[in-house]
Amino acid sequence: MSETSALVLFSGGQDSTVCLSWALSRYARVETIGFKYGQRHSVELAQRDIIREKLAGLGAAGKHLGPDAVLDLPALQSISDTALTRETEITFAATGLPTTFVPGRNLLFLTYAAALAYRRGITTLVGGMCETDFSGYPDCRNETIQTLAQAISLGLATPVAIETPLMFIDKSATWELASKLGGNDLIDIIIEDTHTCYMGDRTNRHDWGYGCGICPACELRANGWTQWRAQKT
Ligand code: ZN
């Protein structure tokens, strides 16, 4: 098992792109994993290859980028909005969670990633979970993630670490981290190529990138950008 390699959960969104860049700056070999589960914003999957190609071309760190895997998890779709009862949908709406939210999704993703990592001889997983903007997702909390790392380590009988570089920083600080890791080149990739919008909108271009500008994901991204730019001036 190599401690110089990592597997990054890479969706093609802003957060996971910053995490991938972070991993490239510190591990000799970095592989990526993505999940296809009928997500409405599946347009982000199409952006993955474009972003990977651009990051591979960014300086010496880009040379550390290894293979990608995309796992098909159609079962997730049957437990998302399509199969939710109306009562559950109302409860979800009341908590501010999108009805496409799959309960415990990160637990499933990390467990699948750990299984693939095991096969690939990798013992470090990297994910963009973030407690600061936690938006009501209990599976993004540090305690959840680190407890899962313990369960996975026990279940695989090998120590598995889950690194979450964005856990305690807000969206403004995520832009700043991107700037520190890859300067304007990385900021440009995030704006032009990463996708965060829940509605899958890639027609409306804002200063901070593409999106509907209204959904919770766009709102977070836009606010983070505005705050970060304000600190710069
Ligand atoms: Zn949006």
Side-chain angles (χ1 to χ4, degrees):
M1 295 289 171
S2 166
E3 287 178 8
T4 58
S5 57
L7 178 66
V8 179
L9 279 77
F10 177 55
S11 68
Q14 174 179 12
D15 290 349
S16 68
T17 298
V18 176
C19 285
L20 178 52
S21 184
W22 177 88
L24 289 169
S25 73
R26 67 180 55 208
Y27 300 98
R29 180 169 62 98
V30 177
E31 301 192 10
T32 52
I33 182 171
F35 300 96
K36 211 166 138 190
Y37 54 100
Q39 57 267 59
R40 180 155 51 177
H41 49 295
S42 63
V43 62
E44 72 181 12
L45 286 175
Q47 294 304 115
R48 293 174 81 256
D49 290 341
I50 298 168
I51 298 164
R52 274 178 46 90
E53 199 173 307
K54 288 195 178 174
L55 290 182
L58 268 195
K63 309 276 180 289
H64 300 163
L65 187 59
D68 179 40
V70 176
L71 296 193
D72 215 348
L73 302 182
L76 284 194
Q77 200 172 14
S78 49
I79 48 175
S80 69
D81 57 346
T82 48
L84 289 173
T85 65
R86 184 147 168 72
E87 289 73 32
T88 314
E89 278 200 37
I90 291 166
T91 312
F92 268 29
T95 56
L97 293 170
T99 51
T100 48
F101 174 68
V102 178
R105 189 181 62 182
N106 284 320
L107 306 180
L108 296 168
F109 286 174
L110 284 162
T111 305
Y112 276 106
L116 179 75
Y118 184 89
R119 288 279 186 213
R120 312 272 312 157
I122 298 172
T123 56
T124 300
L125 306 177
V126 180
M129 299 83 194
C130 172
E131 201 171 81
T132 317
D133 287 326
F134 131 69
S135 319
Y137 293 94
D139 59 338
C140 289
R141 286 185 294 208
N142 192 49
E143 193 182 357
T144 306
I145 303 296
Q146 292 314 321
T147 306
L148 180 64
Q150 279 179 33
I152 289 172
S153 299
L154 283 169
L156 297 177
T158 194
V160 171
I162 303 178
E163 299 287 346
T164 52
L166 311 183
M167 183 56 77
F168 300 110
I169 67 175
D170 63 15
K171 284 279 176 286
S172 163
T174 302
W175 284 105
E176 180 61 20
L177 177 60
S179 170
K180 285 206 173 89
L181 285 166
N184 287 338
D185 288 342
L186 183 56
I187 295 290
D188 284 347
I189 293 171
I190 290 171
I191 292 172
E192 296 302 330
D193 302 305
T194 67
H195 186 84
T196 314
C197 175
Y198 285 140
M199 307 306 291
D201 185 328
R202 287 202 66 76
T203 52
N204 290 303
R205 165 70 154 79
H206 313 263
D207 289 349
W208 44 265
Y210 290 90
C212 71
I214 302 163
C215 76
C218 279
E219 206 181 337
L220 265 180
R221 180 164 165 155
N223 288 345
W225 169 265
T226 307
Q227 267 179 41
W228 180 60
R229 295 308 295 167
Q231 285 161 16
K232 293 263 135 193
T233 52

mmCIF file of all heavy atoms in Angstrom, residues 102-137:
data_model
loop_
_atom_site.group_PDB
_atom_site.id
_atom_site.type_symbol
_atom_site.label_atom_id
_atom_site.label_comp_id
_atom_site.label_asym_id
_atom_site.label_seq_id
_atom_site.Cartn_x
_atom_site.Cartn_y
_atom_site.Cartn_z
ATOM 1 N N VAL A 102 -30.078 12.481 -1.719
ATOM 2 C CA VAL A 102 -30.101 11.071 -1.364
ATOM 3 C C VAL A 102 -29.537 10.947 0.051
ATOM 4 O O VAL A 102 -28.371 11.279 0.273
ATOM 5 C CB VAL A 102 -29.247 10.234 -2.347
ATOM 6 C CG1 VAL A 102 -29.230 8.773 -1.928
ATOM 7 C CG2 VAL A 102 -29.774 10.393 -3.760
ATOM 8 N N PRO A 103 -30.347 10.522 1.000
ATOM 9 C CA PRO A 103 -29.859 10.455 2.383
ATOM 10 C C PRO A 103 -28.591 9.604 2.491
ATOM 11 O O PRO A 103 -28.530 8.500 1.957
ATOM 12 C CB PRO A 103 -31.026 9.783 3.128
ATOM 13 C CG PRO A 103 -32.221 10.029 2.276
ATOM 14 C CD PRO A 103 -31.735 10.053 0.871
ATOM 15 N N GLY A 104 -27.585 10.162 3.168
ATOM 16 C CA GLY A 104 -26.344 9.401 3.388
ATOM 17 C C GLY A 104 -25.507 9.191 2.143
ATOM 18 O O GLY A 104 -24.643 8.316 2.107
ATOM 19 N N ARG A 105 -25.729 10.022 1.116
ATOM 20 C CA ARG A 105 -25.042 9.813 -0.167
ATOM 21 C C ARG A 105 -23.521 9.741 -0.035
ATOM 22 O O ARG A 105 -22.869 8.891 -0.644
ATOM 23 C CB ARG A 105 -25.440 10.943 -1.130
ATOM 24 C CG ARG A 105 -24.964 10.734 -2.546
ATOM 25 C CD ARG A 105 -25.377 11.901 -3.409
ATOM 26 N NE ARG A 105 -24.772 13.152 -2.956
ATOM 27 C CZ ARG A 105 -24.986 14.353 -3.502
ATOM 28 N NH1 ARG A 105 -25.832 14.467 -4.498
ATOM 29 N NH2 ARG A 105 -24.395 15.417 -3.049
ATOM 30 N N ASN A 106 -22.950 10.629 0.790
ATOM 31 C CA ASN A 106 -21.488 10.631 0.921
ATOM 32 C C ASN A 106 -20.958 9.353 1.559
ATOM 33 O O ASN A 106 -19.841 8.929 1.284
ATOM 34 C CB ASN A 106 -21.012 11.843 1.730
ATOM 35 C CG ASN A 106 -21.057 13.106 0.896
ATOM 36 O OD1 ASN A 106 -20.713 13.083 -0.279
ATOM 37 N ND2 ASN A 106 -21.508 14.199 1.480
ATOM 38 N N LEU A 107 -21.774 8.761 2.443
ATOM 39 C CA LEU A 107 -21.352 7.498 3.063
ATOM 40 C C LEU A 107 -21.221 6.418 2.001
ATOM 41 O O LEU A 107 -20.271 5.634 2.002
ATOM 42 C CB LEU A 107 -22.366 7.058 4.131
ATOM 43 C CG LEU A 107 -22.705 8.066 5.228
ATOM 44 C CD1 LEU A 107 -23.722 7.475 6.187
ATOM 45 C CD2 LEU A 107 -21.436 8.477 5.964
ATOM 46 N N LEU A 108 -22.192 6.403 1.085
ATOM 47 C CA LEU A 108 -22.167 5.412 0.005
ATOM 48 C C LEU A 108 -20.980 5.671 -0.921
ATOM 49 O O LEU A 108 -20.221 4.761 -1.257
ATOM 50 C CB LEU A 108 -23.475 5.464 -0.788
ATOM 51 C CG LEU A 108 -24.737 5.088 -0.011
ATOM 52 C CD1 LEU A 108 -25.989 5.446 -0.785
ATOM 53 C CD2 LEU A 108 -24.726 3.598 0.311
ATOM 54 N N PHE A 109 -20.809 6.935 -1.329
ATOM 55 C CA PHE A 109 -19.726 7.279 -2.255
ATOM 56 C C PHE A 109 -18.356 6.903 -1.664
ATOM 57 O O PHE A 109 -17.509 6.321 -2.331
ATOM 58 C CB PHE A 109 -19.736 8.782 -2.565
ATOM 59 C CG PHE A 109 -20.845 9.207 -3.496
ATOM 60 C CD1 PHE A 109 -21.051 10.553 -3.769
ATOM 61 C CD2 PHE A 109 -21.672 8.274 -4.115
ATOM 62 C CE1 PHE A 109 -22.067 10.960 -4.629
ATOM 63 C CE2 PHE A 109 -22.682 8.667 -4.969
ATOM 64 C CZ PHE A 109 -22.883 10.030 -5.226
ATOM 65 N N LEU A 110 -18.155 7.276 -0.393
ATOM 66 C CA LEU A 110 -16.848 7.010 0.222
ATOM 67 C C LEU A 110 -16.604 5.511 0.369
ATOM 68 O O LEU A 110 -15.471 5.043 0.227
ATOM 69 C CB LEU A 110 -16.751 7.709 1.587
ATOM 70 C CG LEU A 110 -16.506 9.221 1.504
ATOM 71 C CD1 LEU A 110 -16.854 9.907 2.822
ATOM 72 C CD2 LEU A 110 -15.054 9.526 1.115
ATOM 73 N N THR A 111 -17.663 4.763 0.640
ATOM 74 C CA THR A 111 -17.494 3.317 0.794
ATOM 75 C C THR A 111 -17.146 2.667 -0.547
ATOM 76 O O THR A 111 -16.249 1.821 -0.626
ATOM 77 C CB THR A 111 -18.782 2.696 1.399
ATOM 78 O OG1 THR A 111 -19.076 3.386 2.618
ATOM 79 C CG2 THR A 111 -18.590 1.221 1.693
ATOM 80 N N TYR A 112 -17.827 3.095 -1.612
ATOM 81 C CA TYR A 112 -17.472 2.592 -2.943
ATOM 82 C C TYR A 112 -16.044 3.003 -3.311
ATOM 83 O O TYR A 112 -15.272 2.220 -3.862
ATOM 84 C CB TYR A 112 -18.451 3.111 -4.004
ATOM 85 C CG TYR A 112 -19.709 2.284 -4.126
ATOM 86 C CD1 TYR A 112 -20.913 2.745 -3.623
ATOM 87 C CD2 TYR A 112 -19.675 1.037 -4.743
ATOM 88 C CE1 TYR A 112 -22.066 1.976 -3.727
ATOM 89 C CE2 TYR A 112 -20.825 0.268 -4.848
ATOM 90 C CZ TYR A 112 -22.023 0.744 -4.336
ATOM 91 O OH TYR A 112 -23.154 -0.017 -4.440
ATOM 92 N N ALA A 113 -15.708 4.249 -2.995
ATOM 93 C CA ALA A 113 -14.356 4.741 -3.318
ATOM 94 C C ALA A 113 -13.310 3.931 -2.567
ATOM 95 O O ALA A 113 -12.256 3.576 -3.119
ATOM 96 C CB ALA A 113 -14.243 6.226 -2.960
ATOM 97 N N ALA A 114 -13.600 3.599 -1.301
ATOM 98 C CA ALA A 114 -12.643 2.827 -0.503
ATOM 99 C C ALA A 114 -12.434 1.441 -1.099
ATOM 100 O O ALA A 114 -11.307 0.925 -1.110
ATOM 101 C CB ALA A 114 -13.151 2.717 0.933
ATOM 102 N N ALA A 115 -13.511 0.850 -1.601
ATOM 103 C CA ALA A 115 -13.398 -0.478 -2.210
ATOM 104 C C ALA A 115 -12.522 -0.424 -3.460
ATOM 105 O O ALA A 115 -11.650 -1.273 -3.670
ATOM 106 C CB ALA A 115 -14.789 -1.014 -2.546
ATOM 107 N N LEU A 116 -12.723 0.616 -4.277
ATOM 108 C CA LEU A 116 -11.894 0.761 -5.477
ATOM 109 C C LEU A 116 -10.445 1.060 -5.085
ATOM 110 O O LEU A 116 -9.509 0.478 -5.643
ATOM 111 C CB LEU A 116 -12.426 1.885 -6.378
ATOM 112 C CG LEU A 116 -11.589 2.096 -7.647
ATOM 113 C CD1 LEU A 116 -11.847 0.986 -8.680
ATOM 114 C CD2 LEU A 116 -11.879 3.457 -8.293
ATOM 115 N N ALA A 117 -10.261 1.957 -4.096
ATOM 116 C CA ALA A 117 -8.917 2.320 -3.646
ATOM 117 C C ALA A 117 -8.162 1.081 -3.169
ATOM 118 O O ALA A 117 -6.971 0.912 -3.460
ATOM 119 C CB ALA A 117 -8.998 3.367 -2.531
ATOM 120 N N TYR A 118 -8.844 0.221 -2.446
ATOM 121 C CA TYR A 118 -8.233 -1.013 -1.943
ATOM 122 C C TYR A 118 -7.670 -1.828 -3.100
ATOM 123 O O TYR A 118 -6.535 -2.277 -3.075
ATOM 124 C CB TYR A 118 -9.289 -1.810 -1.181
ATOM 125 C CG TYR A 118 -8.758 -3.057 -0.518
ATOM 126 C CD1 TYR A 118 -8.244 -3.008 0.773
ATOM 127 C CD2 TYR A 118 -8.776 -4.289 -1.177
ATOM 128 C CE1 TYR A 118 -7.762 -4.148 1.402
ATOM 129 C CE2 TYR A 118 -8.294 -5.433 -0.565
ATOM 130 C CZ TYR A 118 -7.790 -5.362 0.720
ATOM 131 O OH TYR A 118 -7.305 -6.495 1.318
ATOM 132 N N ARG A 119 -8.482 -1.956 -4.145
ATOM 133 C CA ARG A 119 -8.054 -2.706 -5.335
ATOM 134 C C ARG A 119 -6.850 -2.052 -6.015
ATOM 135 O O ARG A 119 -6.041 -2.714 -6.628
ATOM 136 C CB ARG A 119 -9.199 -2.759 -6.352
ATOM 137 C CG ARG A 119 -10.335 -3.660 -5.954
ATOM 138 C CD ARG A 119 -9.975 -5.084 -6.275
ATOM 139 N NE ARG A 119 -11.083 -6.007 -6.042
ATOM 140 C CZ ARG A 119 -10.913 -7.258 -5.639
ATOM 141 N NH1 ARG A 119 -9.697 -7.713 -5.410
ATOM 142 N NH2 ARG A 119 -11.937 -8.045 -5.474
ATOM 143 N N ARG A 120 -6.791 -0.723 -5.903
ATOM 144 C CA ARG A 120 -5.735 0.030 -6.599
ATOM 145 C C ARG A 120 -4.519 0.249 -5.706
ATOM 146 O O ARG A 120 -3.575 0.949 -6.087
ATOM 147 C CB ARG A 120 -6.262 1.393 -7.063
ATOM 148 C CG ARG A 120 -7.588 1.345 -7.789
ATOM 149 C CD ARG A 120 -7.507 1.119 -9.267
ATOM 150 N NE ARG A 120 -6.542 1.961 -9.932
ATOM 151 C CZ ARG A 120 -5.974 1.660 -11.101
ATOM 152 N NH1 ARG A 120 -6.266 0.532 -11.706
ATOM 153 N NH2 ARG A 120 -5.119 2.486 -11.646
ATOM 154 N N GLY A 121 -4.544 -0.296 -4.474
ATOM 155 C CA GLY A 121 -3.400 -0.138 -3.570
ATOM 156 C C GLY A 121 -3.265 1.264 -3.004
ATOM 157 O O GLY A 121 -2.169 1.727 -2.700
ATOM 158 N N ILE A 122 -4.407 1.954 -2.867
ATOM 159 C CA ILE A 122 -4.408 3.332 -2.360
ATOM 160 C C ILE A 122 -5.098 3.353 -0.996
ATOM 161 O O ILE A 122 -6.160 2.742 -0.833
ATOM 162 C CB ILE A 122 -5.162 4.267 -3.337
ATOM 163 C CG1 ILE A 122 -4.464 4.307 -4.693
ATOM 164 C CG2 ILE A 122 -5.317 5.666 -2.760
ATOM 165 C CD1 ILE A 122 -5.244 5.051 -5.780
ATOM 166 N N THR A 123 -4.510 4.059 -0.008
ATOM 167 C CA THR A 123 -5.119 4.070 1.331
ATOM 168 C C THR A 123 -5.569 5.467 1.773
ATOM 169 O O THR A 123 -5.971 5.654 2.909
ATOM 170 C CB THR A 123 -4.143 3.510 2.390
ATOM 171 O OG1 THR A 123 -2.942 4.279 2.336
ATOM 172 C CG2 THR A 123 -3.828 2.052 2.131
ATOM 173 N N THR A 124 -5.471 6.446 0.857
ATOM 174 C CA THR A 124 -5.973 7.782 1.197
ATOM 175 C C THR A 124 -7.080 8.191 0.219
ATOM 176 O O THR A 124 -6.883 8.155 -1.001
ATOM 177 C CB THR A 124 -4.842 8.832 1.137
ATOM 178 O OG1 THR A 124 -3.821 8.465 2.065
ATOM 179 C CG2 THR A 124 -5.362 10.220 1.497
ATOM 180 N N LEU A 125 -8.225 8.562 0.786
ATOM 181 C CA LEU A 125 -9.318 9.101 -0.027
ATOM 182 C C LEU A 125 -9.380 10.602 0.214
ATOM 183 O O LEU A 125 -9.112 11.061 1.335
ATOM 184 C CB LEU A 125 -10.656 8.483 0.377
ATOM 185 C CG LEU A 125 -10.764 6.951 0.397
ATOM 186 C CD1 LEU A 125 -12.151 6.535 0.900
ATOM 187 C CD2 LEU A 125 -10.510 6.389 -0.991
ATOM 188 N N VAL A 126 -9.707 11.365 -0.826
ATOM 189 C CA VAL A 126 -9.840 12.811 -0.664
ATOM 190 C C VAL A 126 -11.233 13.221 -1.142
ATOM 191 O O VAL A 126 -11.654 12.843 -2.244
ATOM 192 C CB VAL A 126 -8.768 13.575 -1.483
ATOM 193 C CG1 VAL A 126 -8.927 15.084 -1.308
ATOM 194 C CG2 VAL A 126 -7.352 13.141 -1.083
ATOM 195 N N GLY A 127 -11.941 13.984 -0.303
ATOM 196 C CA GLY A 127 -13.291 14.410 -0.671
ATOM 197 C C GLY A 127 -13.535 15.863 -0.291
ATOM 198 O O GLY A 127 -12.922 16.396 0.618
ATOM 199 N N GLY A 128 -14.485 16.495 -0.982
ATOM 200 C CA GLY A 128 -14.751 17.926 -0.779
ATOM 201 C C GLY A 128 -15.808 18.231 0.269
ATOM 202 O O GLY A 128 -16.377 19.318 0.264
ATOM 203 N N MET A 129 -16.074 17.264 1.170
ATOM 204 C CA MET A 129 -17.098 17.514 2.190
ATOM 205 C C MET A 129 -16.705 18.724 3.031
ATOM 206 O O MET A 129 -15.537 18.943 3.309
ATOM 207 C CB MET A 129 -17.273 16.307 3.126
ATOM 208 C CG MET A 129 -17.719 15.060 2.423
ATOM 209 S SD MET A 129 -16.277 14.234 1.717
ATOM 210 C CE MET A 129 -17.065 13.062 0.623
ATOM 211 N N CYS A 130 -17.744 19.471 3.426
ATOM 212 C CA CYS A 130 -17.471 20.739 4.086
ATOM 213 C C CYS A 130 -18.517 20.987 5.157
ATOM 214 O O CYS A 130 -19.712 20.950 4.885
ATOM 215 C CB CYS A 130 -17.508 21.828 3.016
ATOM 216 S SG CYS A 130 -17.409 23.476 3.662
ATOM 217 N N GLU A 131 -18.052 21.208 6.361
ATOM 218 C CA GLU A 131 -18.950 21.395 7.501
ATOM 219 C C GLU A 131 -19.439 22.843 7.585
ATOM 220 O O GLU A 131 -20.528 23.121 8.067
ATOM 221 C CB GLU A 131 -18.179 21.037 8.780
ATOM 222 C CG GLU A 131 -19.037 20.689 9.945
ATOM 223 C CD GLU A 131 -18.229 20.128 11.104
ATOM 224 O OE1 GLU A 131 -17.656 20.945 11.843
ATOM 225 O OE2 GLU A 131 -18.156 18.898 11.257
ATOM 226 N N THR A 132 -18.636 23.750 7.075
ATOM 227 C CA THR A 132 -18.935 25.173 7.204
ATOM 228 C C THR A 132 -20.198 25.564 6.448
ATOM 229 O O THR A 132 -21.060 26.269 6.952
ATOM 230 C CB THR A 132 -17.739 25.995 6.669
ATOM 231 O OG1 THR A 132 -16.554 25.397 7.147
ATOM 232 C CG2 THR A 132 -17.814 27.411 7.148
ATOM 233 N N ASP A 133 -20.283 25.073 5.207
ATOM 234 C CA ASP A 133 -21.455 25.391 4.377
ATOM 235 C C ASP A 133 -22.446 24.260 4.454
ATOM 236 O O ASP A 133 -23.165 23.970 3.527
ATOM 237 C CB ASP A 133 -21.030 25.559 2.919
ATOM 238 C CG ASP A 133 -20.287 26.853 2.718
ATOM 239 O OD1 ASP A 133 -20.630 27.829 3.398
ATOM 240 O OD2 ASP A 133 -19.380 26.866 1.889
ATOM 241 N N PHE A 134 -22.481 23.608 5.552
ATOM 242 C CA PHE A 134 -23.022 22.267 5.692
ATOM 243 C C PHE A 134 -24.447 22.125 5.172
ATOM 244 O O PHE A 134 -24.834 21.050 4.809
ATOM 245 C CB PHE A 134 -22.717 21.804 7.130
ATOM 246 C CG PHE A 134 -23.755 21.206 7.990
ATOM 247 C CD1 PHE A 134 -24.269 19.951 7.703
ATOM 248 C CD2 PHE A 134 -24.182 21.860 9.137
ATOM 249 C CE1 PHE A 134 -25.181 19.363 8.565
ATOM 250 C CE2 PHE A 134 -25.089 21.272 9.990
ATOM 251 C CZ PHE A 134 -25.595 20.021 9.692
ATOM 252 N N SER A 135 -25.169 23.206 4.967
ATOM 253 C CA SER A 135 -26.445 23.197 4.232
ATOM 254 C C SER A 135 -27.386 22.091 4.678
ATOM 255 O O SER A 135 -28.206 21.625 3.890
ATOM 256 C CB SER A 135 -26.237 23.007 2.724
ATOM 257 O OG SER A 135 -25.158 23.736 2.254
ATOM 258 N N GLY A 136 -27.264 21.613 5.890
ATOM 259 C CA GLY A 136 -28.189 20.591 6.360
ATOM 260 C C GLY A 136 -27.829 19.172 5.969
ATOM 261 O O GLY A 136 -28.616 18.268 6.164
ATOM 262 N N TYR A 137 -26.657 18.969 5.396
ATOM 263 C CA TYR A 137 -26.258 17.614 5.036
ATOM 264 C C TYR A 137 -25.438 16.984 6.168
ATOM 265 O O TYR A 137 -24.252 17.262 6.293
ATOM 266 C CB TYR A 137 -25.396 17.606 3.781
ATOM 267 C CG TYR A 137 -26.112 18.029 2.519
ATOM 268 C CD1 TYR A 137 -26.072 19.342 2.090
ATOM 269 C CD2 TYR A 137 -26.799 17.096 1.761
ATOM 270 C CE1 TYR A 137 -26.731 19.735 0.930
ATOM 271 C CE2 TYR A 137 -27.450 17.471 0.603
ATOM 272 C CZ TYR A 137 -27.412 18.797 0.197
ATOM 273 O OH TYR A 137 -28.059 19.165 -0.932
#
